[in-house]
Amino acid sequence: MATTGLHALKTYLPTWVQDWLEVIVPGLQILLIIFVAWMLQRLLRRLVARAAAHYQLPDELLVPIKGLIRWILVASAFLLVLERMGVSATVLWTALTGFATVGAVAFFAAWSVLSNLFCALLIFTVRPFRVGDYIEVLDTAEKPGAKGRVVDINLLYTTLEDHHHAGPEGTWLQIPNALIFQRVVRRWRGPPPAEAAAPAPPAVAAAVQESPLTTTAP
């Protein structure tokens, strides 16, 4: 229908305009695609900035989100521009499926890194703990685990100041973010309570009870 309307429009235009019409129309369409992609990018960036301010997301998390939005819009606009320039839709679909296959392989190859990134997003939004809290990452609720004060949370690791082996320069534990969501996490708002001294073994206790309570003077 658009082609029919274009041919009908040519009959009312001068000859020199008809020669350039096949260049002007695709050019205007390409400019429109670029303009719409630019407006969408600005709109999405504002929405992400408002969401980040509302949920208090760190800058380390905003950078990859903004980059992902930008590259998705650029790739979409590029494919639409190629189509307007006469590239076959079959060629575009073949290229798109090829890129999707490569992306899927890369996704599974980097699954551990991506899982840490996703868990970092959950930590920043759900807030199971914050910087300054004391936590303990346990295999089960009965067994002791890595314990310390949270000093940093980045896109890959949560860093703890070791509670048990605090040396003169400090000892740090870097726990992958994905591991935290696979374990039991005990959390304290302030410093954890001091651990009670372990009871003496039964043999040692019996020996103490049997030992004389008094000594004879020389």
Side-chain angles (χ1 to χ4, degrees):
M1 184 178 295
T3 305
T4 305
L6 184 60
H7 286 295
L9 181 62
K10 286 183 178 181
T11 58
Y12 299 99
L13 296 176
T15 304
W16 66 272
V17 176
Q18 295 180 13
D19 296 336
W20 287 94
L21 196 61
E22 294 181 357
V23 178
I24 295 174
V25 172
L28 292 176
Q29 292 175 342
I30 290 173
L31 291 177
L32 180 61
I33 291 171
I34 296 174
F35 177 75
V36 171
W38 178 70
M39 291 297 296
L40 280 176
Q41 181 181 358
R42 293 195 60 183
L43 176 62
L44 293 176
R45 286 172 67 93
R46 289 184 178 180
L47 292 176
V48 170
R50 290 182 180 179
H54 179 74
Y55 292 104
Q56 298 180 354
L57 299 180
D59 294 336
E60 293 84 357
L61 188 61
L62 294 181
V63 172
I65 292 177
K66 291 180 180 179
L68 180 63
I69 292 174
R70 180 175 64 253
W71 284 110
I72 289 177
L73 291 176
V74 168
S76 302
F78 181 71
L79 292 177
L80 290 175
V81 167
L82 289 180
E83 184 180 2
R84 292 296 92 194
M85 294 177 64
V87 180
S88 173
T90 304
V91 175
L92 292 178
W93 177 252
T94 303
L96 182 61
T97 53
F99 283 125
T101 303
V102 174
V105 173
F107 176 82
F108 286 108
W111 170 248
S112 60
V113 176
L114 295 176
S115 62
N116 287 324
L117 294 176
F118 180 70
C119 290
L121 174 63
L122 293 179
I123 292 174
F124 290 133
T125 54
V126 180
R127 301 280 184 174
F129 52 83
R130 300 182 181 183
V131 174
D133 289 346
Y134 285 81
I135 66 171
E136 184 176 10
V137 182
L138 311 167
D139 289 333
T140 62
E142 293 80 13
K143 297 181 179 180
K147 182 189 296 184
R149 183 173 64 91
V150 181
V151 295
D152 182 56
I153 304 172
N154 57 36
L155 296 180
L156 296 178
Y157 297 100
T158 294
T159 304
L160 307 181
E161 184 179 6
D162 195 350
H163 181 69
H164 293 291
H165 304 89
E169 297 181 356
T171 304
W172 314 101
L173 298 174
Q174 284 189 320
I175 304 175
N177 293 325
L179 185 64
I180 292 178
F181 282 88
Q182 300 171 6
R183 299 290 186 267
V184 178
V185 177
R186 183 179 288 131
R187 175 186 180 188
W188 295 271
R189 286 285 186 181
E195 298 180 357
V204 176
V208 171
Q209 290 179 357
E210 293 177 358
S211 62
L213 298 178
T214 61
T215 60
T216 59

